[in-house]
Amino acid sequence: MATPAVNGFSPQEIARLTTRAAIAKSHLSWTECIVKSFMGGFFISIGALIDLVIISGCPGLRESNPALATMIAAFTFPVGFVLITLTNMELATSNMFVMPFAVLQRRITLWDLTKNWIVSYVFNLAGALFTAGFLAWWSDVLDTAAQTSYAVTQAQNRVDVQWSVNLLRGVGCNFFVAMAFFLSLGATDFVSKVYCIWIPIWAFVMAGYQHSIANYFSIPIGMFYGTDFDVGKFIYQSIIPVTIGNIVGGFLLAALPFWILYGRGDAMNVQTGQPVDEEKKNEPRIDSDDETLRTGEASSGPRSRERYDRDGMADTA
């Protein structure tokens, strides 16, 4: 009996695409990485803003059925991740899974990972603050007392909790973020990609997990309307534990186990229904020695940039 065709790639094949994405990210110029990261912070904050507008605007439902209110509002949040993925922007939390996966394979260097993490994090932050200040607060999107009051409440709920709680909420969040990225690479059409992104991101928001970049929108917007904590407490009680938790979640719950399962051997004999001719089956693996980025090797140049950007980044999108 013939195996039915599958409209997607196997986990082993997705692992190869993940490696190619990491290599492509390591070849981005400083300017490209900065602009992509700013737009990534902007996009994710747009999703957080829509979520906030909806849940803050239904105080009656929040009081009578908070779970339903959370589920409805959380459904809008993944729009930011969809925009990031389909336009091929940079998001630090996704990179906390992608880059360590390729480092474990020795396909990129620790410097590549460090550069990517720092630039994407800092400019994700800038994009989120831009959205909070210009497109939410100054544009008066939250134009009722109920909405501004809830903006303060949700910010305090993210900060006025135990340090360890925010750490673990960050761990849980980035497991789902990594799954959204990994599953989206396995889809071969945009509708499927959107579905693969939407479900995990919707789940982490409903669960109440914490996303370090989204918090740079959600907490400052509450501070603009008058929270009872200052910037110092925001940094210590939210930024530090949630960021550490995101790193731990991306590495320990995604990059490490996926590397153990799919990143150490060929394992390309899984039928998926995707057309693979004999030449394709026998071509060198994407992480073979001729495509490994060695320490000290130039990470840019006309030939390498064309090769990795065109192929690797297209696969990411």
Side-chain angles (χ1 to χ4, degrees), residues 55-214:
I55 196 167
S56 65
C58 55
L61 183 60
R62 290 203 315 271
E63 183 176 350
S64 63
N65 197 332
L68 180 60
T70 299
M71 184 185 74
I72 294 172
F75 182 77
T76 66
F77 185 88
V79 66
F81 285 82
V82 171
L83 292 173
I84 289 169
T85 302
L86 299 188
T87 61
N88 200 19
M89 300 304 170
E90 290 292 303
L91 183 64
T93 49
S94 297
N95 293 340
M96 290 170 186
F97 157 65
V98 178
M99 304 306 279
F101 182 81
V103 168
L104 289 171
Q105 295 178 309
R106 299 183 181 180
R107 306 311 174 199
I108 62 173
T109 66
L110 284 174
W111 163 245
D112 295 323
L113 178 147
T114 302
K115 170 191 170 184
N116 178 273
W117 278 12
I118 292 175
V119 174
S120 61
Y121 191 92
V122 169
F123 287 93
N124 280 170
L125 181 162
L129 291 179
F130 168 81
T131 308
F134 288 90
L135 300 183
W137 186 54
W138 284 352
S139 60
D140 201 25
V141 172
L142 306 176
D143 57 357
T144 68
Q147 288 179 311
T148 57
S149 174
Y150 184 77
V152 174
T153 299
Q154 62 85 29
Q156 293 182 168
N157 289 342
R158 296 172 188 272
V159 174
D160 292 335
V161 294
Q162 291 183 1
W163 201 93
S164 59
V165 170
N166 268 343
L167 174 71
L168 294 175
R169 287 177 178 177
V171 173
C173 166
N174 230 32
F175 164 74
F176 283 108
V177 171
M179 291 302 96
F181 183 93
F182 191 83
L183 294 174
S184 70
L185 286 184
T188 58
D189 62 271
F190 273 9
V191 173
S192 298
K193 286 180 183 292
V194 169
Y195 183 86
C196 289
I197 296 167
W198 212 279
I199 300 304
I201 302 304
W202 188 16
F204 102 66
V205 179
M206 286 190 291
Y209 292 141
Q210 297 290 300
H211 189 278
S212 56
I213 304 304

Side-chain angles (χ1 to χ4, degrees), residues 246-305:
N246 287 166
I247 294 172
V248 172
F251 179 74
L252 287 184
L253 297 184
L256 181 61
F258 280 35
W259 170 72
I260 293 172
L261 294 173
Y262 308 126
R264 298 185 298 164
D266 288 323
M268 291 300 298
N269 59 345
V270 177
Q271 183 178 359
T272 63
Q274 300 304 307
V276 180
D277 55 29
E278 290 303 316
E279 291 183 2
K280 205 73 172 178
K281 289 180 181 178
N282 296 324
E283 71 177 5
R285 295 172 57 211
I286 190 65
D287 53 354
S288 60
D289 290 341
D290 65 321
E291 300 206 15
T292 300
L293 185 62
R294 301 176 179 83
T295 303
E297 180 179 345
S299 62
S300 61
R303 182 176 181 275
S304 64
R305 288 180 57 73

Side-chain angles (χ1 to χ4, degrees), residues 32-51:
E32 290 171 330
C33 196
I34 287 171
V35 174
K36 283 174 175 285
S37 299
F38 180 88
M39 295 303 294
F42 166 58
F43 284 161
I44 193 174
S45 299
I46 290 295
L49 174 59
I50 299 171
D51 180 322

